[in-house]
Amino acid sequence: MTPPAAAAAAAAAAADGAERAGPRAGGDLLDGIADRGPIATPAGEFRLRPVRLPDDLPLIAGWMNDPAVDTWWRLAGPPERTEQHLRAQLDGDGRSLPCLGLLDGAPMSYWEVYRADLDPIAAHYPAEPHDTGLHLLLGPPDTRGRGLGAVLLDALAAHLLAHRPACRRVLAEPDLRNTACRRSLERAGFRQVGELELPDKTAALMVRPRTRPLPAPRPGGEPHDLLGVGIGPFNLSLAALAHGAADAVSALFCEAEPEYRWHPGMLVEGARMQVPFLADLVSLVDPTSPWSFLNYLRHQERLYPFYFAERFQLSRREYAHYCRWVAHRLPNCRFGAPVTALRWDTAERLFRAETGGEEIRARNVVLGVGTRPHRPAAFAGLADHPRVWHSADYLARRDSLDGARDITVLGSGQSGAEVFLDLLRHRADDGTRLRWLSRTRALAPMEYSKLGLEHFTPDYTRYFHSLPREVRDHLVPAQWQLHKAASAETLAEIHDLLYERSVGRPPGGDPVEIVPGTAVTAAGTGPCGGLELHCRHTDSGADHTLRTDAVVLATGYRATRPDALDPIADLIDWDEQGRYRVDLDHRVATRPELTGGLYVQNAELHTHGVGTPDLGLGAHRAAVILNAVAGKELHPLPTRTAWTSFAPPDGA
């Protein structure tokens, strides 16, 4: 991307007209954007680091002397020329920040993040307060021409908008002749809105705006047919299907977070989904939808690479990027719009939702607020301990484990396996003791036989829902291997890595422990520092104490009731354990005076069984809800989806 001489002049002007503040990580003018931590992308973990002189000068000057780069940057020559360009920004007031872009820790790009509204470029377009501009240089030649620029631009633009609340849009002004750069920006969600005649070039002004504000009330004061609270994969699936049926159902979805985020702490390198790519947001209901994963690949110009990769399961990073691609393009999704209260208007027979000082009226509501990390009661006294945290924060807090010499991972599910595997890779041969502790008696793999997977069909959901409550409550924990275990592939990777580590030393010489069948009954700080875990062996009943420096709690997630429901809590017909009563259409039972539809997604494990959190059933459930709200079949659904007959024959 081109920062012309005008950009260098702008940085110099900023330096000349302000107190010499020295280098900073974005300063107040850019809200410390380089201090905001890593960004998960399909290409890896990306991070901005402010340029350090003189250390970074040889690398950046080398890139600037690449003829392909010099065509647009025009900084080829002795290193002093590049140094002057960098120092003009570093010694300024923080309105322009030069950074190295690190992908999985390796420097591979140079960036300039700048306040466009404070730059001389503001005289050439209708600037708005806090407009933020980007310049990008992909350094190594092998990073260019394969779509990486679009991926990083998309990720950083979303990151800027999420962490700079006053910024309404991110800008770029590449040379009009730089078609490759313009195309990358378009794929990253930027749109050309004009041309600028700058002193050294004719530029394309390209803009990526923040998600649009909530719409004005519908014509005639009409309420929405459906309001979605929360935008995770399940409500996003419903939003995508509803978008295709907008003539029949008016839907709006609101999310408190400023951007789409899906388990950012667990987008570990190499981690893969446990469902095939067809379990996307729409394909198992409408494979012709523009929001399918295959159409996402087409827009990303990655269909052929995916075809040759022959991957049935996606990486977690790719799935998260696909969902974000959908979420920020759907016109019925609003981010930064928390629903703080939900009330029922008996006179008008509709819901009134409060969000950001505005009111939204809707005939039906679907809750898709997701689940929250579960922290076992044994660790209640360590809630604020810096080295006891949930795996949901793993990537953000992994560096805090650097000084620990004994690390315990608690939990035998997929998250526990992925964290343990990642620690094995990152802490290889440094002497750190790694321990994997599990309450289950064996580290058994998730059931993945073809007939076993039929438990994740609408047929089994209907069967499970028909069972008495006592039977359902017994079945869910008994079926842990269907929905809580680790994949056989991840367990095999762990064994393979341990085997490689054993070369030249017996297994007993490796500071690694795998301890199943052990429950932590209490936890606290030790008398000499560190942590003490009081444990009980499941089979023998023997008690013992483990001492460790850090604990990663891969202990799963639980559905919780959102606070927004408090105003109507008395109108909901809770079961004996304070849970929702949910019918086959995923509608919550309510008192007679609440006549609107209140639906839930991923909060009905106790009524709909092990398929509730499974992405493979997400599109089907969304279609069921949409059909129920519309009162007609908008999406035809199959009547039989499994070979297995789960119920006894009629009359038995």
Side-chain angles (χ1 to χ4, degrees):
M1 189 168 301
T2 7
D16 291 341
E19 182 181 351
R20 311 291 279 192
R24 59 181 74 187
D28 293 336
L29 292 177
L30 287 166
D31 301 315
I33 195 63
D35 294 328
R36 299 288 181 173
I39 308 169
T41 79
E45 182 181 277
F46 178 70
R47 182 190 297 269
L48 285 181
R49 174 176 67 72
V51 167
R52 300 167 184 161
L53 291 179
D55 296 352
D56 297 330
L57 182 58
L59 179 65
I60 300 172
W63 289 343
M64 292 297 182
N65 277 279
D66 182 332
V69 173
D70 186 53
T71 299
W72 309 113
W73 284 75
R74 298 187 290 283
L75 287 173
E80 291 77 13
R81 186 175 185 190
T82 298
E83 182 179 12
Q84 182 181 10
H85 179 82
L86 297 172
R87 285 203 183 277
Q89 298 171 78
L90 291 172
D91 293 344
D93 63 356
R95 69 182 66 189
S96 183
L97 181 68
C99 294
L100 280 180
L102 281 62
L103 192 61
D104 290 331
M108 46 68 65
S109 55
Y110 169 72
W111 297 76
E112 292 173 354
V113 184
Y114 67 98
R115 283 283 298 272
D117 61 319
L118 303 179
D119 187 277
I121 196 176
H124 298 270
Y125 81 101
E128 295 182 7
H130 295 277
D131 277 354
T132 303
L134 290 178
H135 297 143
L136 164 62
L137 182 165
L138 292 177
D142 63 359
T143 62
R144 305 172 204 154
R146 55 188 182 93
L148 184 57
V151 170
L152 299 183
L153 285 163
D154 179 32
L156 184 56
H159 190 71
L160 284 165
L161 291 169
H163 295 289
R164 297 204 64 233
C167 174
R168 295 172 53 85
R169 55 188 186 172
V170 179
L171 313 179
E173 21 76 33
D175 193 300
L176 194 62
R177 300 167 297 167
N178 194 343
T179 55
C181 179
R182 290 161 55 199
R183 192 167 187 179
S184 292
L185 285 161
E186 287 171 353
R187 289 167 60 195
F190 289 74
R191 293 293 176 265
Q192 183 171 335
V193 297
E195 296 181 6
L196 306 180
E197 290 298 334
L198 301 178
D200 61 329
K201 67 178 181 182
T202 301
L205 178 61
M206 305 195 69
V207 175
R208 174 162 162 172
R210 183 179 294 279
T211 303
R212 289 171 292 176
L214 290 171
R218 297 181 67 205
E222 278 291 301
H224 291 281
D225 296 313
L226 180 64
L227 170 65
V229 180
I231 304 177
F234 296 130
N235 259 4
L236 186 57
S237 176
L238 182 52
L241 292 175
H243 178 255
D247 291 342
V249 174
S250 165
L252 177 67
F253 294 80
C254 294
E255 165 60 45
E257 292 290 331
E259 62 178 335
Y260 184 86
R261 292 161 57 85
W262 181 76
H263 295 300
M266 283 303 298
L267 300 183
V268 179
E269 182 180 358
R272 307 199 73 75
M273 303 293 291
Q274 292 179 283
V275 292
F277 72 90
L278 282 176
D280 65 9
L281 300 171
V282 292
S283 287
L284 289 175
V285 168
D286 181 8
T288 67
S289 168
W291 308 112
S292 71
F293 175 73
L294 289 178
N295 196 46
Y296 154 80
L297 288 178
R298 184 177 73 88
H299 277 265
Q300 298 284 307
E301 298 184 2
R302 295 175 59 234
L303 266 174
Y304 271 95
F306 179 74
Y307 168 53
F308 294 126
E310 296 185 347
R311 290 180 176 176
F312 207 46
Q313 273 84 18
L314 308 177
S315 71
R316 284 176 174 264
R317 286 172 173 166
E318 186 170 26
Y319 179 78
H321 190 264
Y322 155 65
C323 287
R324 188 171 68 187
W325 176 83
V326 174
H328 291 285
R329 284 161 176 77
L330 277 172
N332 57 8
C333 290
R334 300 290 179 266
F335 290 87
V339 174
T340 55
L342 196 62
R343 293 181 170 81
W344 175 250
D345 187 323
T346 305
E348 293 198 35
R349 301 177 69 177
L350 51 76
F351 292 97
R352 294 181 179 272
E354 294 178 9
T355 176
E358 299 184 60
E359 183 181 80
I360 302 170
R361 300 157 65 241
R363 298 184 179 93
N364 301 276
V365 169
V366 56
L367 302 176
V369 294
T371 53
R372 295 181 182 175
H374 171 66
R375 193 180 184 97
F379 291 86
L382 296 171
D384 298 320
H385 197 284
R387 284 188 172 169
V388 180
W389 34 263
H390 197 274
S391 59
D393 299 320
Y394 178 66
L395 282 183
R397 303 186 69 171
R398 183 174 61 187
D399 290 350
S400 71
L401 302 176
D402 284 352
R405 306 304 298 164
D406 187 299
I407 303 172
T408 299
V409 179
L410 184 64
S412 62
Q414 184 66 17
S415 294
E418 289 174 356
V419 168
F420 187 64
L421 177 60
D422 189 68
L423 288 171
L424 284 173
R425 288 169 172 159
H426 282 83
R427 304 298 292 263
D429 299 323
D430 70 352
T432 302
R433 178 166 294 278
L434 300 177
R435 183 182 298 105
W436 191 10
L437 200 64
S438 167
R439 200 171 44 176
T440 56
R441 287 183 167 88
L443 296 174
M446 181 173 286
E447 167 60 48
Y448 210 76
S449 67
K450 293 178 181 179
L451 289 176
L453 288 174
E454 291 195 341
H455 284 83
F456 301 95
T457 59
D459 285 20
Y460 183 75
T461 298
R462 287 190 290 268
Y463 163 70
F464 184 91
H465 191 272
S466 71
L467 297 172
R469 179 184 60 79
E470 297 80 6
V471 177
R472 297 197 304 256
D473 288 347
H474 169 75
L475 269 179
V476 170
Q479 294 175 329
W480 65 271
Q481 210 168 338
L482 286 170
H483 66 114
K484 284 190 173 182
S487 71
E489 291 79 10
T490 306
L491 294 176
E493 285 186 74
I494 291 172
H495 188 275
D496 290 347
L497 186 53
L498 291 173
Y499 179 77
E500 287 298 317
R501 287 166 59 120
S502 73
V503 174
R505 63 182 175 187
D510 196 350
V512 172
E513 298 178 34
I514 299 177
V515 190
T518 301
V520 178
T521 57
T525 54
C528 301
L531 301 162
E532 284 191 351
L533 307 183
H534 301 281
C535 304
R536 178 165 296 156
H537 189 256
T538 305
D539 291 335
S540 67
D543 293 329
H544 62 284
T545 299
L546 288 175
R547 290 175 176 82
T548 188
D549 296 329
V551 179
V552 180
L553 299 171
T555 46
Y557 300 79
R558 299 288 187 275
T560 57
R561 192 180 89 186
D563 294 339
L565 276 187
D566 288 350
I568 61 170
D570 292 342
L571 298 177
I572 295 175
D573 184 15
W574 308 98
D575 75 1
E576 296 82 355
Q577 297 183 42
R579 302 172 299 189
Y580 301 111
R581 300 181 193 271
V582 189
D583 70 13
L584 263 179
D585 288 342
H586 306 276
R587 181 169 176 167
V588 173
T590 58
R591 303 301 179 192
E593 56 266 39
L594 200 165
T595 56
L598 178 64
Y599 298 85
V600 289
Q601 300 216 65
N602 200 16
E604 68 276 29
L605 181 66
H606 58 292
T607 58
H608 287 64
V610 293
T612 297
D614 190 78
L615 294 172
L617 279 171
H620 185 277
R621 174 173 51 202
V624 168
I625 294 173
L626 195 60
N627 288 349
V629 169
K632 59 183 179 181
E633 188 179 69
L634 298 178
H635 292 282
L637 297 173
T639 56
R640 183 73 184 263
T641 54
W643 298 108
T644 307
S645 297
F646 298 102
D650 293 340

